[in-house]
Amino acid sequence: MPKAKKIRHEAKANGQLGISKAEVLEAAVRVIDERGAARFSIREVARSLGVYPATLYWHVRGNKNDFLAEVAAYAREDFLLPAESDGDWRSVLKQIFVRYRDAMHKHPNMAPLIGAQLVTNGISSARLAEIILARLSEAGFAGEALIDNYNATLAAMVGFVTLELAAPPSDSDCWEKRFQDELSRIDADRFPLLHAALPAMANRAFIVRWESGSKVPLDGGFTAYVDTYLEGLARRAASLP
Amino acid sequence: MPKAKKIRHEAKANGQLGISKAEVLEAAVRVIDERGAARFSIREVARSLGVYPATLYWHVRGNKNDFLAEVAAYAREDFLLPAESDGDWRSVLKQIFVRYRDAMHKHPNMAPLIGAQLVTNGISSARLAEIILARLSEAGFAGEALIDNYNATLAAMVGFVTLELAAPPSDSDCWEKRFQDELSRIDADRFPLLHAALPAMANRAFIVRWESGSKVPLDGGFTAYVDTYLEGLARRAASLP
DNA sequence: ACCTGAACACCGTTCAAGT
DNA sequence: ACCTGAACACCGTTCAAGT
């Protein structure tokens, strides 16, 4: 009997037998948190549970892609705690934006997955949709404009964080050096503004950074982004017929 | 001599011998365009070039992740044509947003990759950074606020499209049916607004859609998103000291 | 219903060897 | 410099068989 199995056997010595779907998904989240989405593998999840790989196919139907989609949906549901916040629509939306970002920063390796995954799952997503629809209605949007601004707002909520937490290509730091060399060779004549701002921007701005937002958060950028979007939303709501 | 090799041998019968790095990256883009990022493999790229897998490791250093990062950077550079547009800063930024979206809609399978990839490469990215910095400066932003709004603007440019073109989990349409069933069971008491808007929103809004933006573009949402962001930016610029 | 055990096709990556 | 050919460890997925 292999070691992992033995551990599992002891852990399950109580009445509970077998493994639940929730356990599988939680284990998957743990694997992604630890190793990153790129190095995620079904066999690794199985190992961490002391179980044969084939077992997981019983709990989660479909292929690896479907598996990841369910993990993303589960995580989103798990991370997005109830947002029963009060205040006007503008401050509630801001709270939701901030809360989503906070949640993702606790699981940075999940962010790209969730951002680039189409599937959503069940109740908590419906609750989120309902809240956003409610606040946009309160702001004055209706009909087709309500739907358009719902899509815009959801994209705004998820968009910044997905980019902010994009993963660097590999763990080796050799490319970081090459990249910094490239930056130092940016032509002051062709790119005067970029050249001038580079000391302040290096590793703190898109395109010229080499570390992810999990190491170097872009707080100022996020605040500017949210405030700008909500300011625009308020202005456009005010000019509705 | 295997078939793919023979083809390649004939194709290279002219003076040109060997394979270039650009050829490798273009082949990779083709593979992603055709099969999607999830089903991308180094061996498949090698096959499409009539070459041994090991060959690719000579042209692109690092592992599969690094390979994908270079493909994403190359594609971004290739897709983002020069944007020597005239007009005030607001209309120029809008043009850039629209152009980026158009480019991504031509290679929808590349969008999630580019959106979730940290690495950028060389000149065209620097040009993009310079243009955005120039237009934001023109709007009145400077110093730390310039950097913050640069980050916000870049995220705004990429964010919506990344979500819009998120990939569905698998090619099987069985989950689409299950998903639509779930939608039809949304509780009208708990989610009144969502329930009411569902006929108009189904497959046309985040959370309640089952097809990607490559099949069902979210044009109205994108327009609302861009106009809202730029309106906010203009207002905040106007109130600068 | 839930899991084992083994099998198969495929992939990423390395490396010595060729030209 | 650039590519072959083979090798190895690992993975996704299936399936009959167990309980």
Side-chain angles (χ1 to χ4, degrees), chain A residues 113-235:
Chain A
L113 199 63
I114 292 182
Q117 204 78 39
L118 186 140
V119 176
T120 50
N121 195 359
I123 335 173
S124 91
S125 295
R127 286 194 52 236
L128 179 62
E130 183 71 17
I131 292 175
I132 291 180
L133 286 172
R135 298 312 177 165
L136 290 175
S137 298
E138 180 186 331
F141 295 103
E144 199 68 18
L146 176 61
I147 298 178
D148 288 341
N149 283 284
Y150 162 89
N151 279 327
T153 301
L154 218 77
M157 173 181 122
V158 178
F160 188 95
V161 186
T162 301
L163 285 202
E164 185 190 16
L165 295 177
S170 88
D171 305 310
S172 97
D173 47 12
C174 107
W175 83 271
E176 295 184 3
K177 256 190 173 171
R178 276 189 300 119
F179 184 70
Q180 287 172 258
D181 279 3
E182 248 182 60
L183 285 186
S184 69
R185 279 197 304 275
I186 283 181
D187 187 358
D189 290 332
R190 292 184 61 199
F191 312 110
L193 291 165
L194 181 57
H195 185 84
L198 208 53
M201 285 176 75
N203 210 23
R204 292 180 60 227
F206 295 125
I207 295 184
V208 294
R209 67 182 180 152
W210 53 88
E211 288 181 308
S212 160
S214 59
K215 289 198 172 179
V216 184
L218 305 177
D219 292 328
F222 175 71
T223 304
Y225 175 81
V226 174
D227 289 344
T228 299
Y229 180 76
L230 292 178
E231 174 75 15
L233 207 52
R235 296 291 184 164

Side-chain angles (χ1 to χ4, degrees), chain B residues 9 17 20 27 45 62 77 84 94 103 129 145 161 165 174 178 181 215-216 221-222 232:
Chain B
H9 195 264
L17 29 57
S20 73
V45 177
E77 198 160 333
E84 296 301 346
K94 175 150 190 177
V161 185
L165 295 178
C174 108
R178 276 189 300 120
D181 280 3
K215 288 198 174 181
V216 185
F222 175 72

Side-chain angles (χ1 to χ4, degrees), chain A residues 42-43 54 57 63-64:
Chain A
I42 289 180
R43 287 181 115 101
Y57 283 86
N63 58 20
K64 187 188 179 184

Side-chain angles (χ1 to χ4, degrees), chain B residues 42-43 57 63-64:
Chain B
I42 289 181
R43 286 181 116 102
Y57 284 85
N63 58 18
K64 186 187 179 184

Side-chain angles (χ1 to χ4, degrees), chain A residues 6-17:
Chain A
K6 193 173 173 193
I7 291 171
R8 167 159 173 67
H9 195 264
E10 284 160 5
K12 291 289 172 176
N14 52 353
Q16 190 187 16
L17 27 59

Side-chain angles (χ1 to χ4, degrees), chain B residues 158-177:
Chain B
V158 179
F160 188 95
V161 185
T162 302
L163 286 203
E164 185 189 16
L165 295 178
S170 87
D171 304 311
S172 98
D173 47 13
C174 108
W175 83 270
E176 296 183 3
K177 257 192 171 167

